[in-house]
Amino acid sequence: MKNFLSVKDAGNVEELAQKAIAIKKDRFANNNLGAQKTMVLIFLNSSLRTRLSTQKAALNLGMNTIILNLGQDSWNMEYENGAIMNGDKAEHIKEGAAVIGEYADIIGIRCFPSLVDREKDYSEYILSKFLENVKVPVVNMESATVHPLQSLTDLMTIREYSKKEKPKVVLSWAPHIKPLPQCVANSFAEWMNKADVEFVITHPEGYELNEKFSGDATIIYDQDEAFSHADFIYAKNWSSYNDYGNITGEHADWMITNRKMQLTNDARFMHCLPTRRNIEVADEVLDSAASIVIQQAANREFAAQAVLKEILDFL
Ligand code: CP
């Protein structure tokens, strides 16, 4: 694997999820593979799970890691070609990314969307600027449109907890207090569309995802109907794609509750975290035996390790 930017780099998604499950059984089996190699993890946005799990995965493989909070620990970066740099941005991406690449064998990048300029966000403007200016492999740690390390984790977790070969997996929009990116939902949708599952998306009207990501998924606007016979409920908020970056209407009644979980086939509850308790999902669900959000977060380490191993094998 050269880069890990989206599902397109994953090959067979089910096989990669199985590799992550195998790594979980012996995480130190390849603890020399990354010896004398360095991963630089660049964060333009906050993170708990991605930061810790990706660093842990690299350490399990014997790599060194450096974390850079871009713009906080370093200079503010200018991305525009031809910019006259007379503002607060002291370093251009052309030098900045190229220099980081000199110290790194693998680079990880987190760069959220603006939620203002849809065309720019969906062109993966920031991620592509890094790709243009580094020669080493790049791992997407959540970009403007996708979060593939999360999606690989999600598939791995579904395989671990599924009681059947082809479970019914429901991605449910859930309320939030502010507009969030579509990345996790986009990414989950494109991975589920490649996995051997029955995939349903449910959301209020106005929250349709870009069809490039929702693909052939069944879309049901009635949340109760969508939950019927579900084996997994995956809750996530996202802002509107069509009315880009905005929240449309009041939908507090879309919060995941025990009443809704009881409509399912004894489904497991999943969420990428962080989640707003009693806004997106009720305490009674998060604190129930149905919830596997902590196990899911723990699996981030093994999913990241499966990806880093594939890249190290390529180097
Ligand atoms: N799920 C996830 O990516 O969590 P963080 O934002 O904390 O990394």
Side-chain angles (χ1 to χ4, degrees), residues 115-297:
L115 291 184
V116 174
D117 185 336
R118 186 171 86 174
E119 199 179 329
K120 202 167 182 179
D121 287 345
Y122 273 69
S123 74
E124 290 288 5
Y125 180 76
I126 302 284
L127 183 62
S128 56
K129 288 288 177 184
F130 275 94
L131 287 164
E132 280 169 24
N133 290 290
V134 299
K135 298 189 190 92
V136 298
V138 173
V139 175
N140 183 342
M141 300 196 300
E142 190 170 351
S143 63
T145 66
V146 288
H147 193 358
L149 286 176
Q150 180 67 55
S151 307
L152 172 57
T153 306
D154 300 335
L155 178 57
M156 171 192 178
T157 309
I158 287 167
R159 283 292 161 236
E160 280 187 322
Y161 284 88
S162 184
K163 295 181 201 134
K164 49 174 94 150
E165 270 187 32
K166 195 170 175 128
K168 178 176 174 182
V169 177
V170 178
L171 169 63
S172 178
W173 186 92
H176 205 278
I177 59 159
K178 61 177 188 177
L180 295 186
Q182 296 100 35
C183 328
V184 170
N186 283 343
S187 198
F188 188 71
E190 65 177 1
W191 282 69
M192 288 302 114
N193 281 327
K194 285 188 179 280
D196 190 19
V197 301
E198 179 191 345
F199 183 47
V200 171
I201 306 175
T202 185
H203 56 72
E205 291 200 29
Y207 286 97
E208 291 77 12
L209 296 171
N210 180 328
E211 286 173 12
K212 180 183 150 202
F213 297 99
S214 55
D216 295 332
T218 302
I219 296 167
I220 299 176
Y221 291 102
D222 181 324
Q223 193 185 33
D224 282 4
E225 183 191 335
F227 275 35
S228 174
H229 302 296
D231 298 299
F232 293 89
I233 299 296
Y234 193 105
K236 183 73 185 86
N237 174 268
W238 62 89
S239 58
S240 175
Y241 172 74
N242 290 321
D243 182 15
Y244 190 62
N246 289 316
I247 296 175
T248 61
E250 292 290 324
H251 297 291
D253 57 334
W254 277 70
M255 180 171 75
I256 314 298
T257 60
N258 268 350
R259 184 197 70 74
K260 292 176 190 175
M261 291 300 289
Q262 279 157 13
L263 301 171
T264 69
N265 179 32
D266 204 14
R268 296 294 194 154
F269 176 80
M270 299 177 71
H271 191 291
C272 65
L273 303 180
T275 189
R276 299 251 178 181
R277 280 178 173 255
N278 304 310
I279 300 285
E280 282 187 282
V281 51
D283 282 345
E284 63 192 17
V285 175
L286 270 177
D287 296 333
S288 74
S291 174
I292 52 171
V293 297
I294 304 302
Q295 297 91 323
Q296 182 186 355

Side-chain angles (χ1 to χ4, degrees), residues 46-51 110 112 142 147 150 272-274 300:
S46 302
S47 168
L48 187 154
R49 280 145 290 272
T50 306
R51 177 183 303 251
R110 166 162 286 201
F112 286 175
E142 190 170 351
H147 193 358
Q150 180 67 55
C272 65
L273 303 180
R300 291 291 308 269

